[in-house]
Amino acid sequence: MDSLPYVSRRTPFEVDYPKRSNPGAHAAFISRKLQECREQSLTQKQVAAIRYKEGVYLEFSSAAQHDLAIKSLENLQKGIRLLNVKTDASTETVKATVYIPAGQEAYFLEKVQAYTEPVEEGQKPKNNNLVRSIENVKLAMLDSFWFGDLRTMPADVPVWCEIWLRYEQNDVEEAEDNFVSCCADFRIELNERHIVFPERIVRLVRANSEQLKNMISACEYIAEMRRAPESTSFFDELTGREQQEWVKELLSRTTFHDTKATVCLLDTGLSAAHPLLSPAVYDQGVQAVESTWGTADDEGHGTEMAGIALYKDLKEQLVDDKPQDILHKIESVKILPPRGENPPDLYGAVTERAVALAEIANPEAERAVCMAVTSSEYNTPDGSPTSWSAALDSLTSGAEGSEEKRLFFVSAGNVEPAELSDVAYPDASVLHCVENPGQSWNALTVGAYTKDVTIGAQEYNGFSPVADKGALSPYSSTSVNWDNKWPIKPEILLDGGNVATNGQDYMSCPDLSLLTTNRQPLVRPFSTIWGTSSATAQAAWMAAQIYAKYPGIWPETVRALLVHSARWTGEMHKQFCTDELKTKGRRNLLRSCGYGIPHLDKAIQCMNNSVNMIIQGELQPFEKNGSRPQMKEMHLHKIPWPTEVLQALGSIDVELRVTLSYFIEPGPGEKGWRDRYRYPSCGLRFDVMNTDETIDDFKKRIDIKMRGEDIKDKGDGSSGSTRWYLGSDNRDVGSIHSDFIKDSAVNLCNANYIAVYPVIGWWRERSYLGKCDSKIRYSLVVSLSTPKQDVDLYTPIITQIPNTIQVSIPTP
């Protein structure tokens, strides 16, 4: 691997500001609006019966179907802070909320005044883009801070809301103290937990509209407000008909091994004494976020998840007569109360607490955290982050301070059978967006497909399965309707069962569900489970097998292997890829089914005609050159292709597949997603040398630093981008990127260099936060495979791999 100095290729960011036919009149109008805001604010402070903040909140609006000069609305040196940015779909305008501290009230008036000053012919006025982009200015009201459907804002009755607070680099306590004091003044119920992100603190309050308005008037740290999500209810237990003898027989041929691999369930608790579970339960690994809840499973869902997470397919294990080996342990942290609904809470903080408890009890574990608790209430319909999903990103990346990376699985959330009565399958799955916190960039969000299509139970006479075998499960949600800039979700699908229907009624059915463990083993040892819950537990089981096979492997690599091994079924193609256009059929397939169904044998086994290579690396994307942040480096990997073997294959098709996995640190907050402020700390991308390129041409195409004095010299040859099945527009979102090329073997002979290079993120754009020189780990999985069974690709590759490569795991 070579580390090269790196300068990124410039990608023009197109903006559309309105042309002002009469700049003088427009400037006068904006000046008048700013002055009115100033006078209104002063009047409010003079007559207010409550304490009032020193500064003022303003809302700037763009013209319809035009952009707003977001960057120019903030001045860190003067304390002027851009708080949030959002698009009003009804008016097609961009709105930005800005905080202006005391003493800076004239800042924007002076900007507008400078815009009116005469300029020489051919020159643009000062602050041209800023002033002409502003259509209106007003004092920011409650709706300026509210994110989500405005109909979810509280009225007279208090409801639980998330309050997102801004803070400067060193004043976390000052911001929180001010906020807590305001809550006390207005008798607002305040939850004790909080989540801290770069420049943002999230707190939970129970307040009505008047209290929220008072808070905006008094607190100078408000950035955003949202309705707090509510936890989804769990499905009822289903009757299990299996006998106690099955349990004894299975245990008689099962060996439980002592390894560091674990699956940690964040759920309703665990019936740890269940005879099928107890041999694998980690000592002191059954806990609860609140000790008063107890650790027992009062609902049954946690124990049902455990049966899948430990055995994957319990029915298959029961009917098989072969010896069974369990290679991992089970942990459980209860995150839901034993009775009633879960009290409103910051679920991100609850999740963080649960993971911390597991790690304290078992610090040496190589852990797959598994959570099938989601919320469809007050979700983000476009796929943008939530406080809960951002907390998962913080946990997985180690951004909270530990720097410990974590592997996390979360369910995509279920389409309820009743929804199929109103909207036909699979349209119901398309309309039902992935649920909170499935927006997480770093967690693997798991959807469901169906394997079962046979109904034998007499009570379901006249019923048939909704989905065909190998198709998307009717329970599974999708990200088809998300904005394409947000991650591909779900990334993988596993068995989630099917729904039964008689043409009018839609319901779950034992024969179309998965057999698992019941929370009351003395009454009946078995229950059934379905939907994205069972799929998520299966994904965690697969991860545990990889950890057991390869101790010490990175979480980023386990995640990469699961995605890299995933394939779509023919049924999925027929359902969603109705044409082969990347912007339509292939994107629809990807947003519905992710990368498909992962195959454990492809992830951990070796076959001569198919080989995976894994590279684990660490890259420093940015650095400071004086006070100016800039790109620092990219990595160039030479892949030991078996050139002679490929040449001998000639025109036979070979598949080249590449997957790049890394964890971002979150920078949440609706703060100019389309411009310099980004959610991820940084992004990485990959590219492969094309057949008609030399290594020098490839370097020049990727890296401006390699072009010498002529920065337009992109080298000879082509990028070969059209050969990739998904293409960069589809795959280059989120923090895992996977794609493949199918071409003749001879055409892939020279595709033996892969570049990994950085793209922009808040580490660089918010360099004042001191993260500009941070490094990011990544895992790169590269595979080459041919349908010819008698071709040995493995031997000529493995003999070329030097001992310095950190991990090399050949797999099909």
Side-chain angles (χ1 to χ4, degrees):
M1 185 272 289
D2 295 328
S3 176
L4 305 176
Y6 179 67
V7 174
S8 59
R9 295 161 287 177
R10 291 186 178 274
T11 303
F13 180 76
E14 296 183 3
V15 292
D16 182 13
Y17 303 134
K19 295 179 180 179
R20 301 296 180 179
S21 58
N22 190 334
H26 178 66
F29 171 76
I30 299 300
S31 294
R32 185 169 64 254
K33 299 298 292 185
L34 287 167
Q35 190 61 43
E36 288 175 0
C37 291
R38 188 174 180 177
E39 292 170 356
Q40 289 172 11
S41 176
L42 182 61
T43 300
Q44 288 177 354
K45 293 177 182 179
Q46 290 173 339
V47 302
I50 61 173
R51 70 170 187 175
Y52 218 94
K53 64 181 180 297
E54 294 296 322
V56 62
Y57 294 123
L58 295 184
E59 181 186 272
F60 292 83
S61 302
S62 73
Q65 299 183 332
H66 287 280
D67 292 315
L68 191 62
I70 301 298
K71 288 191 296 184
S72 301
L73 292 174
E74 184 168 61
N75 187 314
L76 297 179
Q77 288 74 27
K78 294 184 178 295
I80 296 172
R81 299 299 302 263
L82 179 65
L83 302 177
N84 64 65
V85 180
K86 56 185 174 181
T87 300
D88 188 330
S90 62
T91 60
E92 297 184 287
T93 59
V94 179
K95 297 182 179 180
T97 307
V98 177
Y99 174 72
I100 302 173
Q104 299 297 333
E105 294 86 355
Y107 176 79
F108 286 105
L109 281 168
E110 293 169 358
K111 290 283 186 182
V112 177
Q113 180 60 39
Y115 172 78
T116 63
E117 294 174 358
V119 294
E120 297 181 4
E121 187 175 350
Q123 297 295 313
K124 294 180 180 179
K126 292 181 180 179
N127 310 312
N128 180 49
N129 288 344
L130 169 63
V131 179
R132 71 188 177 109
S133 76
I134 300 172
E135 183 72 10
N136 197 12
V137 189
K138 68 172 188 175
L139 286 180
M141 309 301 287
L142 178 57
D143 60 353
S144 304
F145 295 88
W146 193 262
F147 279 81
D149 192 333
L150 293 179
R151 291 173 296 183
T152 66
M153 285 197 304
D156 296 334
V157 178
V159 299
W160 287 99
C161 302
E162 289 182 4
I163 310 298
W164 293 55
L165 306 173
R166 68 174 180 88
Y167 68 90
E168 304 299 330
Q169 193 165 1
N170 297 313
D171 70 350
V172 175
E173 290 186 6
E174 180 180 338
E176 285 216 88
D177 289 347
N178 178 273
F179 177 71
V180 170
S181 176
C182 288
C183 288
D185 289 346
F186 303 127
R187 298 183 178 180
I188 296 174
E189 185 177 349
L190 175 65
N191 185 281
E192 64 181 12
R193 289 191 175 92
H194 71 186
I195 309 174
V196 178
F197 297 115
E199 300 187 288
R200 289 293 185 269
I201 307 165
V202 185
R203 296 298 302 260
L204 202 68
V205 302
R206 187 171 182 269
N208 59 28
S209 60
E210 190 63 29
Q211 289 172 314
L212 292 180
K213 291 174 183 177
N214 287 338
M215 185 184 296
I216 292 170
S217 298
C219 181
E220 57 191 77
Y221 294 95
I222 307 296
E224 304 167 31
M225 295 179 174
R226 305 166 188 249
R227 188 72 176 263
E230 296 175 2
S231 177
T232 55
S233 60
F234 292 103
F235 44 75
D236 293 333
E237 296 175 355
L238 298 174
T239 302
R241 303 184 178 183
E242 309 300 336
Q243 303 295 318
Q244 287 285 356
E245 287 76 12
W246 293 357
V247 174
K248 296 176 183 178
E249 194 278 332
L250 177 56
L251 287 173
S252 71
R253 53 186 168 85
T254 301
T255 302
F256 295 87
H257 296 267
D258 189 13
T259 72
K260 291 184 178 180
T262 68
V263 172
C264 179
L265 298 167
L266 310 186
D267 216 284
T268 59
L270 183 69
S271 294
H274 195 297
L276 288 176
L277 302 178
S278 59
V281 174
Y282 180 77
D283 292 341
Q284 302 176 345
V286 181
Q287 305 179 79
V289 169
E290 297 291 344
S291 59
T292 56
W293 293 350
T295 60
D297 188 357
D298 303 281
E299 298 290 335
H301 189 264
T303 304
E304 292 165 354
M305 289 286 290
I308 301 297
L310 194 60
Y311 293 94
K312 186 177 183 281
D313 190 330
L314 186 55
K315 181 179 178 180
E316 182 178 308
Q317 308 288 5
L318 288 167
V319 300
D320 196 351
D321 60 357
K322 297 177 183 178
Q324 304 294 331
D325 290 285
I326 302 300
L327 302 176
H328 60 288
K329 299 289 188 180
I330 289 290
E331 301 169 324
S332 168
V333 183
K334 191 172 185 176
I335 62 171
L336 294 172
R339 287 173 295 279
E341 295 183 358
N342 198 29
D345 212 333
L346 280 174
Y347 294 114
V350 172
T351 308
E352 289 173 346
R353 172 65 176 155
V355 173
L357 287 171
E359 292 180 342
I360 292 169
N362 188 7
E364 301 299 320
E366 294 187 301
R367 179 178 288 105
V369 183
C370 177
M371 185 175 72
V373 179
T374 64
S375 174
S376 61
E377 296 293 325
Y378 318 118
N379 204 11
T380 54
D382 63 348
S384 55
T386 67
S387 66
W388 196 359
S389 74
L392 300 195
D393 289 334
S394 183
L395 267 172
T396 47
S397 66
E400 83 289 354
S402 70
E403 298 186 1
E404 181 75 21
K405 306 298 187 289
R406 300 172 177 94
L407 183 64
F408 208 109
F409 295 90
V410 63
S411 63
N414 288 340
V415 176
E416 296 300 327
E419 295 178 53
L420 298 168
S421 300
D422 300 323
V423 181
Y425 165 83
D427 293 341
S429 292
V430 171
L431 293 177
H432 192 119
C433 292
V434 167
E435 296 179 358
N436 190 13
Q439 301 92 335
S440 168
W441 285 46
N442 296 339
L444 270 179
T445 302
V446 185
Y449 80 105
T450 188
K451 290 169 59 178
D452 298 311
V453 293
T454 302
I455 301 176
Q458 291 297 316
E459 59 265 37
Y460 288 91
N461 282 340
F463 281 78
S464 60
V466 169
D468 291 333
K469 185 175 182 177
L472 185 75
S473 171
Y475 292 110
S476 195
S477 55
T478 71
S479 64
V480 173
N481 290 324
W482 281 6
D483 192 301
N484 289 326
K485 66 187 174 184
W486 298 117
I488 296 155
K489 297 289 177 174
E491 290 100 336
I492 56 175
L493 306 179
L494 282 151
D495 190 3
N498 211 333
V499 173
T501 181
N502 59 5
Q504 293 181 327
D505 304 308
Y506 295 84
M507 60 185 64
S508 59
C509 166
D511 286 334
L512 302 180
S513 303
L514 284 77
L515 190 69
T516 187
T517 45
N518 183 14
R519 74 181 181 94
Q520 296 178 309
L522 296 179
V523 178
R524 52 187 182 276
F526 300 118
S527 180
T528 52
I529 189 172
W530 59 87
T532 56
S533 292
S534 62
T536 307
Q538 287 187 333
W541 176 89
M542 293 183 74
Q545 309 316 299
I546 297 174
Y547 272 133
K549 181 72 173 179
Y550 300 111
I553 195 171
W554 287 359
E556 299 96 319
T557 307
V558 178
R559 175 181 181 239
L561 285 171
L562 290 174
V563 168
H564 195 82
S565 70
R567 300 293 187 272
W568 300 296
T569 65
E571 285 297 324
M572 294 171 191
H573 268 278
K574 284 194 295 184
Q575 278 184 296
F576 299 105
C577 197
T578 53
D579 63 56
E580 282 295 328
L581 293 177
K582 292 180 181 178
T583 55
K584 292 184 180 179
R586 296 182 188 180
R587 178 173 293 172
N588 198 41
L589 174 63
L590 185 64
R591 288 283 177 180
S592 300
C593 302
Y595 295 96
I597 305 167
H599 296 80
L600 187 60
D601 58 343
K602 290 181 181 294
I604 65 175
Q605 293 180 1
C606 171
M607 293 174 60
N608 283 343
N609 70 317
S610 182
V611 61
N612 279 1
M613 286 162 289
I614 298 174
I615 299 165
Q616 295 184 158
E618 188 174 58
L619 180 149
Q620 183 177 333
F622 315 120
E623 66 177 351
K624 271 195 174 184
N625 184 8
S627 61
R628 182 181 179 183
Q630 61 183 21
M631 297 292 187
K632 177 176 173 58
E633 65 174 342
M634 59 169 276
H635 285 176
L636 189 64
H637 298 279
K638 184 176 182 180
I639 307 301
W641 269 180
T643 304
E644 294 181 0
V645 177
L646 292 174
Q647 288 174 340
L649 290 173
S651 61
I652 293 176
D653 275 350
V654 173
E655 180 186 279
L656 168 65
R657 188 176 292 259
V658 180
T659 301
L660 175 64
S661 170
Y662 54 95
F663 291 158
I664 60 97
E665 291 188 12
E670 300 284 347
K671 190 176 178 182
W673 297 122
R674 301 182 307 159
D675 207 343
R676 61 176 287 192
Y677 298 101
R678 308 295 174 90
Y679 179 78
S681 47
C682 85
L684 297 179
R685 302 289 183 265
F686 71 81
D687 208 335
V688 178
M689 190 171 81
N690 199 28
T691 304
D692 60 357
E693 286 183 307
T694 66
I695 182 61
D696 288 337
D697 291 333
F698 181 47
K699 290 178 181 178
K700 288 178 180 179
R701 176 164 64 84
I702 299 298
D703 188 355
I704 289 179
K705 195 81 170 180
M706 298 292 104
R707 298 178 185 177
E709 295 182 0
D710 184 5
I711 63 172
K712 295 182 179 181
D713 179 14
K714 299 180 181 179
D716 298 324
S718 62
S719 67
S721 59
T722 57
R723 298 190 300 163
W724 293 96
Y725 184 78
L726 294 174
S728 58
D729 286 347
N730 286 326
R731 72 175 185 241
D732 288 347
V733 292
S735 62
I736 188 164
H737 317 293
S738 187
D739 208 346
F740 63 92
I741 293 171
K742 287 186 177 179
D743 204 347
S744 65
V746 69
N747 282 345
L748 289 177
C749 281
N750 295 324
N752 59 344
Y753 279 93
I754 298 182
V756 176
Y757 59 92
V759 295
I760 201 169
W762 66 261
W763 276 356
R764 196 189 85 166
E765 294 305 288
R766 304 185 208 176
S767 60
Y768 55 85
L769 293 177
K771 301 285 286 186
C772 190
D773 59 352
S774 298
K775 294 183 178 181
I776 185 168
R777 297 193 330 188
Y778 66 87
S779 295
L780 185 68
V781 181
V782 186
S783 67
L784 201 62
S785 59
T786 173
K788 286 181 66 68
Q789 298 296 314
D790 58 349
V791 176
D792 184 5
L793 299 175
Y794 171 68
T795 302
I797 288 177
I798 200 66
T799 57
Q800 297 182 61
I801 297 177
N803 292 330
T804 54
I805 291 184
Q806 297 183 34
V807 177
S808 177
I809 306 173
T811 66

